[in-house]
Amino acid sequence: MRFPGPLFTSLLILAFSQVLFAQNEQQSPVISIEYLQDMDKLILVDEIGASQFAQPLGPELFIDAATYVLGPGDLVSVDIEGSVSVTMRSLAVNPQGDIILPGIGTIGVKDLTIEEAGAVLNEFISATYSGTHINYFTLERARMFHIHVYGNIPYPGKYAVPAQTRVDQAIINALFEEGSEAVRSPGNRFMEQGPYSIRDISIQGRNADPKSADLVAYYRAGDLGSNPFVRDGDIITISRRQEEAPRISISGAVNTPMEIEFKQDDTVARMLRLAGGRIANAAEDSLIIHRRTPTGTELLSLTGGQASADGFELQPNDRIIVPFTHEPGSSYSAWVYGESVSPGNFSITEGETTALDLLEKSGGLNRQAMPHGGYLIRNKPAGRHMPQINTLDAARIQRTSDQVSQGFEYLELEDRLNQNQIFLDLENQDLLAGIMILDGDELYVPRDDRTVFIFGQVNKPGYYPFGENLSAESYIARAGGLALAAEPDRIFIIKAGTKSWYEPGETRLQSGDMIFVDRTPYEELNAKRAYENQRQGIINSRISLVLSAISTTFLVYSIIR
């Protein structure tokens, strides 16, 4: 073991004094010291700092050493190497903003970032002890600090927040009741454009220039600079949004049309960022602004660089419209699945392409297709951001109805069925020519397996080969006839495409159809059995009476003789 110089001697004296202090006072030393012989290094831990000042980190666990400002309550670690190697852990920044390095001295770090404090400390150590420098200086545990939130808000006052807390998290408890959904998901509540002005939140620091936060820019465009970290002692002022306050909107060919509060420094480029940018079929080099003037509405057309620039000055209540290209629907397409010659995805023109055109694009039906079982699935409503007017709204329909409760229950069941399915006879060209195809539509051509499915109260349910001239009775005979519980008057044909029910005489059997044989209802079956038992009992009773009469007659005859 080597004894390199005054720093090592100072640390040994400190260690010895700590042990004596512990023996005399019968308590744990303030600083624990350990020597790692294999590494020739001392480890010092400030036990007071480790036990009293450790606080959890804020919502963002990563701390930027270039921006985090040290203050009272922070715990730091320093690793020194040179004439002696020593690591000092859990050193607390005291209320004066100083760090006390055992055996070395006091270093002031007030209002310094982690990087700045490390540089100051390294300069001091190098100047004091020859050949000694700092390997690293880092924050071990961040402190809690206090901010002040004021304004026309429900819960103004002083709040303790962890380090690395951004404005939105720092102010949430001053705006909403603790434990509410708004506290768990502040972004959703803020984006509802509630009663608070969240585009111009004022922040005044102790020794810093005023700044502001724009939470719309943060939540809509992910602009971290618009949602800065709060600092110890910050005064945050929030105002309520006034109904008559200026607004600005952006709509048209953008990802997120919106109307928000107006800020004096709003630009076209910023509004485009907040709206998520232009969509694929938006005009790239033009936009239109509707501007209110004392005499009416002025129409401004921006082209070229102005259409995306930061330099164009917007005014309160401007309405920005991003035009669509002159080729709307150029990306529209529809699908054909199943038994066409060439199924796949095909380009369409809304308002022009028909179901017949789409089927022809796929090459028409192949030999295995089942034309009467085809159907179309409509996946998207027609029009831009416009719901279908014929969508079933059970609650609204009930409002003007005189239906009884059973009718409403049936209506709600019907509402759960697929409202976007259109059944088609793919051989009916007039029908297909009258159906317009929309973007995202899916045309299904099922396979014809040339079978009929028989189920219910038959002895051998299952699939049977289709025959052109076979009746329902013929298929039932193939299925082993009716079972004991079958009801002969309740035999139905269920069509392949529409799944509509018919009695055998009402429709022609086709490939893919189903035959269902219903059973005798349990109530009727029990009643029938009871009737048969009663009838048999009456018959037996009458037979008994007849036999009794015969016996009596025979007895009388015998006596007379």
Side-chain angles (χ1 to χ4, degrees):
M1 179 176 177
R2 54 192 175 91
F3 298 88
L7 175 58
F8 188 82
T9 303
S10 299
L11 294 173
L12 285 180
I13 293 173
L14 175 65
F16 182 68
S17 65
Q18 289 293 321
V19 173
L20 290 178
F21 180 80
Q23 291 175 346
N24 293 333
E25 300 296 328
Q26 296 182 351
Q27 64 182 26
S28 300
V30 178
I31 296 178
S32 63
I33 303 176
E34 180 182 357
Y35 176 70
L36 302 180
Q37 187 172 358
D38 57 338
M39 299 177 61
D40 194 19
K41 175 178 286 191
L42 286 174
I43 305 294
L44 280 71
V45 178
D46 183 346
E47 298 293 348
I48 293 179
S51 62
Q52 295 185 6
F53 290 98
Q55 297 289 348
L57 290 176
E60 299 197 22
L61 299 181
F62 174 77
I63 287 183
D64 186 359
T67 60
Y68 184 86
V69 178
L70 294 169
D74 282 328
L75 297 185
V76 298
S77 296
V78 58
D79 185 81
I80 303 172
E81 186 173 342
S83 57
V84 66
S85 296
V86 58
T87 298
M88 300 180 182
R89 296 195 56 195
S90 299
L91 302 178
V93 180
N94 66 23
Q96 287 73 42
D98 299 329
I99 300 173
I100 300 176
L101 302 177
I104 298 177
T106 300
I107 307 295
V109 296
K110 181 180 179 181
D111 295 330
L112 297 180
T113 66
I114 298 173
E115 284 187 356
E116 293 169 344
V120 170
L121 185 60
N122 188 58
E123 183 179 354
F124 177 81
I125 293 290
S126 299
T128 306
Y129 299 100
S130 177
T132 302
H133 66 277
I134 291 178
N135 271 339
Y136 65 79
F137 174 79
T138 185
L139 181 70
E140 188 169 319
R141 277 290 182 178
R143 69 192 186 279
M144 294 284 286
F145 53 63
H146 291 88
I147 61 170
H148 310 272
V149 186
Y150 297 119
N152 187 12
I153 56 178
Y155 311 106
K158 181 180 179 180
Y159 288 88
V161 297
Q164 296 296 95
T165 299
R166 295 189 182 274
V167 169
D168 66 323
Q169 291 289 339
I171 66 174
I172 194 69
N173 288 316
L175 298 178
F176 306 108
E177 185 177 356
E178 186 175 357
S180 69
E181 178 61 30
V183 174
R184 291 189 289 271
S185 303
N188 296 339
R189 185 65 182 89
F190 284 142
M191 286 300 97
E192 291 175 4
Q193 290 294 294
Y196 310 110
S197 176
I198 61 172
R199 290 209 68 201
D200 196 12
I201 299 173
S202 172
I203 307 169
Q204 177 63 62
R206 285 179 177 173
N207 301 309
D209 294 332
K211 55 185 178 181
S212 64
D214 180 355
L215 297 187
V216 173
Y218 170 66
Y219 284 111
R220 292 292 191 192
D223 184 0
L224 293 177
S226 295
N227 186 22
F229 294 119
V230 296
R231 295 189 178 186
D232 195 8
D234 275 353
I235 299 174
I236 302 175
T237 304
I238 306 171
S239 60
R240 282 186 172 264
R241 185 169 61 87
Q242 302 299 320
E243 289 298 326
E244 299 301 323
R247 303 180 188 181
I248 189 169
S249 68
I250 181 168
S251 58
V254 293
N255 284 289
T256 310
M258 66 176 69
E259 181 187 47
I260 56 177
E261 305 166 62
F262 175 76
K263 285 185 66 176
Q264 289 298 329
D265 57 350
D266 276 337
T267 64
V268 170
R270 173 185 290 176
M271 294 303 298
L272 284 170
R273 287 195 297 271
L274 295 184
R278 293 176 168 89
I279 61 176
N281 59 334
E284 289 291 337
D285 57 353
S286 67
L287 55 81
I288 301 168
I289 297 178
H290 292 258
R291 175 170 294 175
R292 293 290 299 272
T293 67
T295 58
T297 301
E298 182 182 359
L299 190 65
L300 305 177
S301 295
L302 305 185
T303 58
Q306 276 190 321
S308 301
D310 278 321
F312 183 81
E313 183 178 351
L314 293 172
Q315 294 185 10
N317 299 311
D318 276 354
R319 308 298 174 179
I320 305 171
I321 308 295
V322 178
F324 289 86
T325 62
H326 295 294
E327 299 178 2
S330 57
S331 61
Y332 291 172
S333 66
W335 292 85
V336 178
Y337 296 104
E339 302 304 323
S340 67
V341 175
S342 301
N345 183 253
F346 303 93
S347 297
I348 66 163
T349 302
E350 282 193 352
E352 296 182 12
T353 303
T354 65
L356 181 61
D357 297 330
L358 180 62
L359 188 60
E360 290 176 351
K361 287 175 182 285
S362 69
L365 304 178
N366 64 25
R367 294 180 179 179
Q368 296 177 319
M370 181 191 294
H372 59 276
Y375 57 94
L376 182 74
I377 297 294
R378 185 143 286 169
N379 288 317
K380 299 179 182 179
R384 295 168 180 153
H385 311 290
M386 181 67 188
Q388 289 176 294
I389 60 173
N390 60 343
T391 300
L392 176 61
D393 185 342
R396 184 169 295 180
I397 291 175
Q398 291 178 15
R399 185 174 60 84
T400 55
S401 171
D402 62 351
Q403 283 279 359
V404 295
S405 60
Q406 291 90 344
F408 287 145
E409 292 173 2
Y410 177 67
L411 177 65
E412 291 172 355
L413 288 174
E414 287 286 334
D415 187 29
R416 298 174 191 172
L417 299 178
N418 189 350
Q419 300 294 322
N420 299 325
Q421 191 167 1
I422 303 172
F423 296 102
L424 302 174
D425 181 352
L426 300 179
E427 290 181 325
N428 187 337
Q429 295 193 356
D430 292 337
L431 173 66
L432 297 179
I435 297 177
M436 294 299 171
I437 300 297
L438 305 180
D439 181 34
D441 282 356
E442 298 174 352
L443 178 62
Y444 288 85
V445 183
R447 181 188 182 94
D448 189 356
D449 293 325
R450 305 293 293 173
T451 59
V452 171
F453 181 60
I454 309 172
F455 65 114
Q457 295 302 311
V458 293
N459 289 304
K460 298 177 182 179
Y463 289 94
Y464 289 87
F466 172 71
E468 288 289 347
N469 299 316
L470 292 180
S471 64
E473 290 75 12
S474 300
Y475 287 107
I476 292 173
R478 291 186 176 188
L482 298 176
L484 289 176
E487 174 55 69
D489 294 332
R490 292 184 59 81
I491 298 174
F492 303 98
I493 295 174
I494 304 174
K495 303 303 292 183
T498 62
K499 300 298 184 290
S500 300
W501 292 48
Y502 296 90
E503 292 186 359
E506 297 176 343
T507 185
R508 181 174 64 89
L509 266 169
Q510 295 175 289
S511 175
D513 288 351
M514 295 180 286
I515 300 174
F516 173 64
V517 179
D518 203 356
R519 66 171 298 131
T520 302
Y522 290 108
E523 294 80 1
E524 294 182 14
L525 182 62
N526 292 334
K528 183 176 181 181
R529 287 175 176 172
Y531 169 75
E532 291 294 338
N533 292 335
Q534 184 180 11
R535 180 171 175 272
Q536 189 63 44
I538 293 173
I539 293 173
N540 292 339
S541 175
R542 289 177 178 176
I543 293 175
S544 297
L545 288 174
V546 172
L547 292 176
S548 177
I550 293 174
S551 299
T552 302
T553 302
F554 182 76
L555 179 62
V556 171
Y557 178 76
S558 300
I559 294 173
I560 293 175
R561 289 188 64 186

